[in-house]
């Protein structure tokens, strides 16, 4: 496969296929250097053709090496050091870190898979030698969610994560370092490495959610125990570094567990159990209070640039650089997987078939993240219209698509901030440029909220500590005489309803389109997320935790704080100043955000012939209409699992009492 000077992508044909068939299939694809989208589509087609040749095992057997294709000049991956040189300056000292760390530091990469603005790396690099480690945590790869029993991590995210780790390893190698990759439990593996390489400092980025904090604390306990038994150095120290938010936890005046001042470089056990009963006020319940306080001064620290060279590997580790001991990026699950009796796991780290309808071709890694930042902000200048387009559903540029990179730590939120300020100073400052920062504050807010409320975020009662209404059929329902359709709803069990929702088979085209997009690509727009979440809670009357768990499985950009925080919010158990559930009427939302039904038809192609004005209410189609639209309900497309009240019709007194508040956008509060 190569790109000719004329800009055509040529495929070599595998010999095993008849030449005529292949020629029809591949031929030549135009690769227009001036049109990145066209190029992307061609690359997608190319991938699809290759997938077809090699079947579903493409990624396992053949690594698509596109590096020899000359990159499009506009899409060229920027070099962190040069491209953003003016915003990447050394920040004020974050904490009271020591100038030097004696001995070897082990840097455990978690959701901070980048070199730029990575404070954990910065601290670890002060040691005499540095050992970088990433562990594919078996708990997520083999585990199941608590209520729904879904896999904790699905194929889309697993593949993206693998790309992020591969890119990190590449970046470290280019600076004379190495990334040791392991699969298993960090609680077992890290102490082993500490012992083997005589590590004195274990450095990692601080997380805030239940499981991750439990892991951190357990690791500290294990190391302390090992130290008392003489297995590891008695001077072993753990350093948990705050690394993930726009606003540093130390720079907001709220009492939060995890606040580490005044002595951050102490044992984690002391550090992570900050005292919430200190003199500082508690973290606010509402976003507005938090935002106003932050916006008074915007205390965003400057970003930190990674040095060109890093400390060397410990002497004992130098030998593993060229041997398999450095760990292979797992394409398939390790043999031990069969021991725990999980289903064939090899699919999970492989990319599901890349759907050419996806709004964006997500690839993990720091370079891809910086490239996206460059492309979206500076080249297409989509930032200038972000506020107007952010509720879109289709295409790469209606929103930034930064979330996937932020969730895995390939992109620093402070770098985005610096770039926005740069953009405002050089090109344009308007409501849209502000709004991106506003959304990043929502991300921070959910993270601090998770830190403050701890486990409550994952409980059914959420942050309100009140029980949500049990199985209530929300405000979308009209009390009508029973029809065939409403009977169907009653006959369906909760499991069947959940299954229909997850698979995009509810019979409500807009909902199905969004859920199929999630299933097939691992991404869904913010607007669609709100609508499908509201539908699950209010219209299907299902437990919101099941929805949150399904999102956890599917989303590439899964972030426990943003996901569970938003779900709590929609389910009415979060920190929404308005009481009650938030209701997004699916029909109203469809008419408003997908008026021509292009999004719906893209993901529900069986409804392609349906009239755009009628497509959202298939239960109203009589036999003649079904014939005209070339679809038979119950065959090509399912009957709806619920019937919905027409939007805008006044509610009766009896339904009013039960119904959740329909969402009326409040510009200063809406997410
Ligand atoms: C039910 C539900 C579940 C969600 N789960 C996740 C999740 O697991 N991970 C995740 O990153 N986001 C989640 N979100 C928030 C939001 O939908 C995504 O961040 C956004 O769609 C990502 O696309 P983008 O990067 O193009 O967003 P943009 O509109 O370009 O926003 C820029 C950035 O701001 C932040 N942001 C925007 N909206 C929100 C929000 N509502 N809450 C928190 N941060 C926000 C994100 O970091 C995002 O990357 C969820 C929203 C809902 C309603």
């Amino acid at each position: 496969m190569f790109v000719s000077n004329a800009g055509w992508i040529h495929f070599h044909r595998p010999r095993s296929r008849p030449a005529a068939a292949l020629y029809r299939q591949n031929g030549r694809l135009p690769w227009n250097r001036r049109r990145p989208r066209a190029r992307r589509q061609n690359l997608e087609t190319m991938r699809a053709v290759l997938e077809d040749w090699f079947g579903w095992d493409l990624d396992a057997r053949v690594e698509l090496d596109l590096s020899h294709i000359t990159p499009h000049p506009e899409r060229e991956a920027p070099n962190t050091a040069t491209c953003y040189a003016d915003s990447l300056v050394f920040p004020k000292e974050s904490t009271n870190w020591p100038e030097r760390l004696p001995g070897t530091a082990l840097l455990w990469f978690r959701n901070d898979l980048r070199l730029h603005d990575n404070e954990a790396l910065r601290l670890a690099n002060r040691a005499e030698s540095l050992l970088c480690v990433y562990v594919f945590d078996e708990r997520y790869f083999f585990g199941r969610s608590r209520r729904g029993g879904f896999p904790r991590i699905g194929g889309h995210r697993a593949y993206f994560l693998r790309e992020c780790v591969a890119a990190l390893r590449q970046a470290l190698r280019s600076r004379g370092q190495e990334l040791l990759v392991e699969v298993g439990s960090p609680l077992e593996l890290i102490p082993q490495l500490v012992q083997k390489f005589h590590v004195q400092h274990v450095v990692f980025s601080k997380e805030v959610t239940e499981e991750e904090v439990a892991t951190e604390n357990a690791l500290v306990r294990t190391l302390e125990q090992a130290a008392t038994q003489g297995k590891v150095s008695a001077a072993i120290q753990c350093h948990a570094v705050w690394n993930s938010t726009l606003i540093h936890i130390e720079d907001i005046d709220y009492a939060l567990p995890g606040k580490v001042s005044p002595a951050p470089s102490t044992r984690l056990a002391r550090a992570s159990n900050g005292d919430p009963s200190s003199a500082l006020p508690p973290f606010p319940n509402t976003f507005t209070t938090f935002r106003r306080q932050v916006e008074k001064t915007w205390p965003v620290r400057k970003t930190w640039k990674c040095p060109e060279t890093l400390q060397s590997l410990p002497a004992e580790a130098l030998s593993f650089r060229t041997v398999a001991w450095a760990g292979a990026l797992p394409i398939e699950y390790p043999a031990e997987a069969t021991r725990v009796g999980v289903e064939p796991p090899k699919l999970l780290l492989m990319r599901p078939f890349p759907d050419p309808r996806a709004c964006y071709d997500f690839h993990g890694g720091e370079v891809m993240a910086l490239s996206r930042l460059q492309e979206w902000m500076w080249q297409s200048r989509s930032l200038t219209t972000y506020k107007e387009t952010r509720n879109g559903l289709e295409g790469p540029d209606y929103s930034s698509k930064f979330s996937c990179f932020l969730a895995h730590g390939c992109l620093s939120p402070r770098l985005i901030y610096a770039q926005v300020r740069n953009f405002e100073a050089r090109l344009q400052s308007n409501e849209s440029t502000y709004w991106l920062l506003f959304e990043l504050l929502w991300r921070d807010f959910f993270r601090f909220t998770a830190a403050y409320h701890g486990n409550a975020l994952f409980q059914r009662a959420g942050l309100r500590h009140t029980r949500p209404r049990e199985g209530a059929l929300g405000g979308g329902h009209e009390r009508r005489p029973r029809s065939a359709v409403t009977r169907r709803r009653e006959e369906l069990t909760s499991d069947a309803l959940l299954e229909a929702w997850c698979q995009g088979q509810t019979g409500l085209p807009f909902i199905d389109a969004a859920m199929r997009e999630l299933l097939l690509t691992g991404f869904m727009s913010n607007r669609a997320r709100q609508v499908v979440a509201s539908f699950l809670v209010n219209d299907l009357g299902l437990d919101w935790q099941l929805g949150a768990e399904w999102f956890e499985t599917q989303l590439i950009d899964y972030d426990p704080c943003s996901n569970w925080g938003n779900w709590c919010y929609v389910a009415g158990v979060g920190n929404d100043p308005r009481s009650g559930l938030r209701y997004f009427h699916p029909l109203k939302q469809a008419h408003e955000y997908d008026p021509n039904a292009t999004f719906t038809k893209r993901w529900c192609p069986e409804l392609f012939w349906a009239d755009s004005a009628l497509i959202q209410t298939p239960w109203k189609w009589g036999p003649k209409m079904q014939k005209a639209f070339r679809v038979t309900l119950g065959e090509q497309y399912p009957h709806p699992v619920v019937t919905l009240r027409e939007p805008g019709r006044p509610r009766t007194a009896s339904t009013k009492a039960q119904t959740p508040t329909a969402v009326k956008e409040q510009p200063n509060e809406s997410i």
Side-chain angles (χ1 to χ4, degrees):
M1 186 170 48
F2 62 95
V3 180
S4 70
N5 287 342
W8 295 85
I9 295 175
H10 299 256
F11 298 127
H12 294 298
R13 303 170 198 157
R15 292 197 189 113
S16 56
R17 288 274 189 110
L22 284 169
Y23 195 76
R24 272 203 307 280
Q25 209 169 22
N26 59 29
R28 296 191 310 165
L29 294 170
W31 185 66
N32 190 334
R33 284 160 190 265
R34 293 190 180 282
R35 294 168 55 209
R37 266 187 219 169
R39 179 184 173 232
R40 201 163 33 233
Q41 275 169 7
N42 287 337
L43 289 178
E44 275 163 10
T45 316
M46 180 175 72
R47 266 187 161 267
V49 170
L50 289 170
E51 289 278 356
D52 185 33
W53 285 348
F54 294 104
W56 286 81
D57 276 353
L58 170 69
D59 288 307
R61 285 196 250 151
V62 188
E63 274 299 329
L64 259 189
D65 179 14
L66 303 180
S67 56
H68 55 290
I69 294 182
T70 323
H72 186 282
E74 286 169 16
R75 266 185 67 90
E76 198 154 5
N79 173 332
T80 324
T82 54
C83 217
Y84 300 102
D86 48 4
S87 63
L88 287 170
V89 290
F90 284 83
K92 68 177 178 181
E93 188 61 45
S94 309
T95 46
N96 305 328
W97 291 341
E99 273 304 310
R100 290 176 54 76
L101 299 181
T104 299
L106 183 152
L107 173 57
W108 171 30
F109 278 98
R110 303 171 88 190
N111 295 316
D112 52 351
L113 304 176
R114 64 172 184 271
L115 299 191
H116 73 270
D117 199 29
N118 186 336
E119 297 216 26
L121 173 62
R122 186 176 176 213
L123 175 61
N125 203 37
R126 293 182 182 189
E128 284 157 19
S129 55
L130 174 64
L131 182 67
C132 300
V133 179
Y134 182 81
V135 182
F136 284 94
D137 192 334
E138 62 184 1
R139 188 175 38 178
Y140 303 118
F141 285 88
F142 306 147
R144 296 266 166 183
S145 64
R146 285 179 203 169
R147 293 186 68 83
F150 305 126
R152 296 288 303 274
I153 178 165
H156 298 291
R157 187 161 79 259
Y159 188 85
F160 188 88
L161 177 60
R162 198 185 120 210
E163 287 184 326
C164 296
V165 175
L168 179 68
R169 178 137 95 169
Q170 193 60 34
L172 285 169
R173 283 179 177 171
S174 71
R175 284 170 170 76
Q177 253 289 343
E178 180 57 277
L179 182 68
L180 177 59
V181 180
E182 286 282 6
V183 182
S185 161
L187 278 181
E188 286 171 16
L189 291 165
I190 290 179
Q192 282 170 18
L193 293 171
V194 166
Q195 191 176 358
K196 185 165 182 166
F197 295 108
H198 311 293
V199 169
Q200 274 159 295
H201 301 274
V202 177
V203 183
F204 52 84
S205 295
K206 180 89 189 78
E207 291 290 343
V208 293
T209 37
E210 186 197 3
E211 277 181 339
E212 287 74 13
V213 172
T215 306
E216 290 167 7
N217 290 335
L219 178 64
V220 172
R221 274 198 306 276
T222 311
L223 289 175
E224 279 179 344
Q225 229 170 24
T228 50
Q229 291 166 357
K231 290 184 185 163
V232 302
S233 160
I236 181 89
Q237 283 199 324
C238 288
H239 308 268
V241 180
W242 191 264
N243 214 1
S244 56
T245 48
L246 180 62
I247 312 297
H248 198 286
I249 192 168
E250 301 299 326
D251 296 341
I252 46 169
D253 290 333
Y254 295 118
L256 281 166
K259 238 170 149 42
V260 292
S261 58
S265 289
T266 51
R267 297 263 164 131
L268 174 65
R270 252 179 284 145
S272 66
N273 297 330
D275 179 17
S277 60
S278 71
L280 293 171
F283 190 72
N285 273 331
T286 63
F287 172 70
T288 311
T289 317
F290 166 73
R291 178 178 61 80
R292 286 194 183 135
Q293 201 235 352
V294 168
E295 285 180 356
K296 271 186 213 155
T297 53
W298 284 104
V300 183
R301 297 181 181 191
K302 286 188 175 164
T303 49
W304 178 69
K305 178 180 143 193
C306 177
E308 282 307 308
T309 51
L310 296 168
Q311 294 293 27
S312 63
L313 285 161
E316 305 91 318
L318 283 173
S319 56
F320 76 58
R321 298 197 58 195
T322 50
V323 296
W325 200 83
L329 293 178
I331 291 172
E332 298 188 344
Y333 273 15
E336 302 87 85
T338 47
R339 182 165 48 82
V340 282
V342 291
E343 63 194 21
K346 69 174 188 175
L347 283 179
L348 287 187
L349 276 185
M350 297 199 319
R351 190 182 200 193
F353 189 81
D355 198 305
R357 294 170 293 179
C359 65
Y360 186 69
D361 188 16
F362 290 102
H363 286 286
E366 185 176 6
V367 168
M368 298 309 289
L370 296 176
S371 174
R372 175 63 186 163
L373 181 63
Q374 177 93 336
E375 176 190 77
W376 186 78
M377 204 179 278
W378 295 100
Q379 282 160 16
S380 69
R381 299 197 181 169
S382 306
L383 177 61
T384 50
T385 52
Y386 171 69
K387 187 155 186 270
E388 293 86 58
T389 59
R390 59 180 277 273
N391 278 312
L393 303 167
E394 292 178 286
D397 291 338
Y398 65 83
S399 68
S400 68
K401 311 292 183 298
F402 292 159
S403 57
C404 299
F405 303 114
L406 286 166
H408 296 276
C410 308
L411 187 59
S412 155
R414 293 190 297 216
L415 180 63
I416 303 177
Y417 176 86
Q419 291 294 307
V420 171
R421 293 299 188 213
N422 212 344
F423 188 93
E424 288 178 336
R426 291 184 183 184
L427 295 176
Q428 193 177 356
S429 168
N430 63 14
E431 277 206 317
S432 287
T433 55
Y434 161 74
W435 214 262
L436 187 70
L437 303 180
F438 175 91
E439 293 299 340
L440 288 176
L441 285 186
W442 264 111
R443 178 176 174 274
D444 274 17
F445 177 69
F446 282 127
R447 189 156 281 258
F448 291 130
T449 301
Y452 187 69
H453 288 275
N455 198 15
L457 190 68
F458 304 100
Q459 301 302 316
R460 188 142 191 245
L463 309 182
R464 299 214 158 176
H465 310 292
T466 54
R467 287 192 73 74
R469 294 176 320 129
E470 290 273 351
L473 295 179
H477 291 277
E478 189 179 19
R479 295 173 177 228
R480 290 189 192 177
R482 297 166 96 210
S483 69
V485 173
T486 48
R487 263 211 306 282
R488 179 158 186 247
R489 160 70 182 88
E490 284 159 19
E491 283 158 13
L492 288 170
T493 60
S494 305
D495 283 354
L497 286 175
L498 180 65
E499 176 79 10
W501 182 81
C502 292
Q503 302 297 328
Q505 297 290 340
T506 64
L508 276 100
F510 187 64
I511 300 289
D512 288 347
M515 294 306 295
R516 290 179 196 186
E517 183 190 16
L518 176 66
L519 188 68
L520 296 171
T521 70
F523 189 80
M524 192 195 281
S525 66
N526 184 54
R527 176 57 50 177
R529 288 182 208 203
Q530 289 175 317
V531 179
V532 299
S534 157
F535 179 75
L536 179 113
V537 175
N538 299 315
D539 296 320
L540 297 183
L542 295 177
D543 180 352
W544 66 269
Q545 290 168 299
L546 291 167
E549 286 183 355
W550 180 247
F551 270 35
E552 173 172 351
T553 304
Q554 294 298 332
L555 282 174
I556 295 179
D557 66 15
Y558 172 69
D559 168 313
C561 310
S562 291
N563 187 56
W564 291 80
N566 271 290
W567 271 97
C568 280
Y569 206 85
V570 176
V573 294
N575 30 27
D576 189 347
R578 280 163 292 179
S579 58
L581 303 168
R582 287 165 69 87
Y583 185 56
F584 293 79
H585 196 298
L587 300 182
K588 189 164 177 280
Q589 296 284 321
H591 289 141
E592 198 166 331
Y593 295 101
D594 190 24
N596 301 321
T598 50
F599 173 73
T600 305
K601 288 185 180 179
R602 180 185 293 258
W603 294 102
C604 301
E606 63 272 44
L607 304 179
F608 181 80
W609 298 103
D611 187 311
S612 303
L614 305 172
I615 193 171
Q616 302 299 348
T617 48
W619 55 90
K620 291 186 178 169
W621 303 346
K624 269 191 187 163
M625 215 178 258
Q626 291 185 31
K627 202 170 169 200
F629 295 162
R630 303 187 197 180
V631 60
T632 310
L633 291 185
E635 288 180 20
Q636 286 95 345
Y637 190 69
H639 285 293
V641 292
V642 286
T643 31
L644 298 176
R645 175 174 57 80
E646 283 290 328
R649 275 178 57 181
R651 286 181 229 133
T652 61
S654 60
T655 53
K656 221 174 193 172
Q658 291 185 24
T659 52
T661 331
V663 173
K664 214 173 172 189
E665 300 280 345
Q666 293 184 2
N668 290 336
E669 264 303 323
S670 66
I671 300 187

